[in-house]
């Protein structure tokens, strides 16, 4: 049976519905589903283009590894990225490397892609493939407008939340 989640920008009061892609990303879907609800401050992508995301401490018993990866996500894709604190410790990214763990999977990036022409490349690290684990099935247009407002109006005070439907 298919599993669905809601993805919300809480302050803006907008949500969409996404289907988990258990058939092609079972480990990633299980990791996310078992951890729900999840919520964290939202960021807008600096390099990928039409992306919003939340950074969370690792929440799964084990990192799912690579499955159903892409470097060219399409509108409506939900992606999982695993980073360690050293990956994101460069001041160019705007994050502080406060933990210095150097442990793979210490940080999970859950991302939502809302528009076309995305390319997951980082000037310091090269290609950054993500696990596509979900696809938005309802309300992408309104959610994309809220994401664009996030880009132009700022992300401060906004949270990105993932909940079971």
């Amino acid at each position: 049976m298919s599993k669905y989640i809601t993805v919300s920008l809480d302050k803006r009061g907008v949500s969409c519905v996404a289907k988990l892609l258990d058939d092609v990303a079972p480990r990633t879907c299980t990791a996310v589903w078992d951890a729900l609800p999840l919520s964290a401050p939202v960021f807008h992508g600096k390099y990928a283009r039409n992306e919003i995301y939340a950074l969370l401490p690792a929440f799964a018993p084990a990192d799912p590894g690579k499955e159903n990866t892409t470097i060219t996500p399409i509108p409506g894709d939900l992606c999982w990225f695993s980073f360690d604190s050293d990956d994101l410790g460069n001041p160019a990214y705007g994050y502080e490397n406060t933990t210095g763990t150097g442990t793979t999977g210490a940080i999970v990036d859950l991302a939502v892609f809302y528009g076309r022409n995305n390319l997951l490349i980082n000037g310091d690290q090269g290609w950054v493939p993500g696990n596509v684990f979900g696809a938005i099935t309802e309300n992408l247009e309104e959610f994309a407008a809220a994401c664009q407002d996030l880009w132009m109006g700022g992300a401060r005070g906004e949270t990105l939340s993932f909940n079971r439907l």
Side-chain angles (χ1 to χ4, degrees):
M1 177 172 230
S2 297
K3 296 177 190 165
Y4 291 86
I5 64 173
T6 59
V7 181
S8 305
L9 287 169
D10 300 319
K11 185 176 171 184
R12 284 170 171 78
V14 65
S15 296
C16 60
V17 174
K19 178 183 177 185
L20 295 186
L21 303 176
D22 284 301
D23 55 333
V24 292
R27 295 184 312 271
T28 307
C29 290
T30 296
V32 171
W33 183 258
D34 289 350
L36 294 176
L38 294 166
S39 185
V42 68
F43 297 92
H44 194 285
K46 188 172 184 179
Y47 298 103
R49 196 168 187 169
N50 300 301
E51 171 197 17
I52 63 167
Y53 60 96
L55 299 175
L56 300 139
F59 51 80
D63 189 90
K66 294 185 184 324
E67 62 178 0
N68 197 37
T69 60
T70 189
I71 58 166
T72 56
I74 61 173
D77 278 351
L78 305 183
C79 291
W80 166 299
F81 301 89
S82 297
F83 296 107
D84 63 39
S85 61
D86 296 328
D87 290 331
L88 302 178
N90 183 324
Y93 305 132
Y95 315 117
E96 291 183 23
N97 183 4
T98 56
T99 59
T101 62
T103 304
T104 301
I107 299 168
V108 174
D109 171 339
L110 294 182
V112 180
F113 292 86
Y114 66 88
R116 297 174 53 88
N117 301 319
N118 303 294
L119 184 60
L120 302 179
I121 190 165
N122 176 293
D124 296 326
Q125 299 176 5
W127 301 110
V128 184
N131 294 358
V132 181
F133 71 90
I136 295 174
T137 59
E138 295 177 30
N139 207 29
L140 177 57
E141 189 173 318
E142 183 182 359
F143 196 80
C147 293
Q148 188 63 32
D149 180 64
L150 186 85
W151 171 247
M152 300 306 293
R156 281 199 171 89
E158 181 65 88
T159 54
L160 181 60
S161 296
F162 301 83
N163 291 282
R164 290 182 185 186
L165 186 62

